[in-house]
Amino acid sequence: MTTNTTSEHLSADPSETSARPPVTVIIATVLTILLASVGTYGAVFFSGLDGYDPVDATFLSMYGYLSLIGVAAVIAQLRGSATGRAGVIAWAIFMALFTVVKLVTIQETEAISFGVVALIVVGLELAPPTRRFIRARATAQAA
């Protein structure tokens, strides 16, 4: 009688290895997508209350593009990309700094929650499970 071991079914092809993302990556993904979508919607809605001028159009286009970069980075990270992880960290730090700018310049205390969520995303990105996941995926793709 023979028994099959799992080592017989392992593939050397990195595209066939499916390591599940840890909870930290999944939560960071959800928070980033929510923060980007709610922030962009709020920027469009509140900038348009008094009508749009060229400054508003510039702000909205830049904010929208940066949110799109954040979403693209988090999707890349979800697939195991180290570059995606770096992009998410950079995007979350930008969002935290943007919150500070809003607090200092226009005293918008409602922005504090966005800054807190951005700092939570940075913390999740720097957590050991996230680093191990990215490192394992990079190793699997290099093999």
Side-chain angles (χ1 to χ4, degrees):
M1 179 169 203
T2 61
T3 50
N4 291 334
T5 61
T6 57
S7 62
E8 293 174 330
H9 300 290
L10 290 178
S11 172
D13 185 14
S15 65
E16 292 182 22
T17 53
S18 61
R20 242 183 109 174
V23 173
T24 55
V25 173
I26 294 169
I27 293 172
T29 300
V30 170
L31 289 177
T32 300
I33 291 173
L34 282 174
L35 189 60
S37 59
V38 170
T40 302
Y41 173 78
V44 170
F45 180 78
F46 291 113
S47 294
L49 288 178
D50 296 329
Y52 295 107
D53 61 12
V55 173
D56 290 328
T58 303
F59 166 71
L60 291 176
S61 62
M62 292 307 297
Y63 193 93
Y65 288 132
L66 288 172
S67 292
L68 186 62
I69 288 170
V71 170
V74 82
I75 291 170
Q77 173 197 284
L78 192 60
R79 299 180 57 148
S81 168
T83 304
R85 178 175 173 257
V88 175
I89 292 170
W91 179 82
I93 290 172
F94 161 76
M95 287 302 294
L97 292 174
F98 184 62
T99 299
V100 171
V101 168
K102 288 172 80 173
L103 285 171
V104 170
T105 59
I106 59 175
Q107 290 79 37
E108 185 179 326
T109 56
E110 297 84 6
I112 292 173
S113 60
F114 286 85
V116 169
V117 172
L119 291 176
I120 290 170
V121 169
V122 171
L124 290 168
E125 291 298 314
L126 298 177
T130 304
R131 290 185 307 207
R132 281 192 299 268
F133 169 70
I134 298 298
R135 195 176 323 118
R137 294 291 291 185
T139 303
Q141 290 173 355

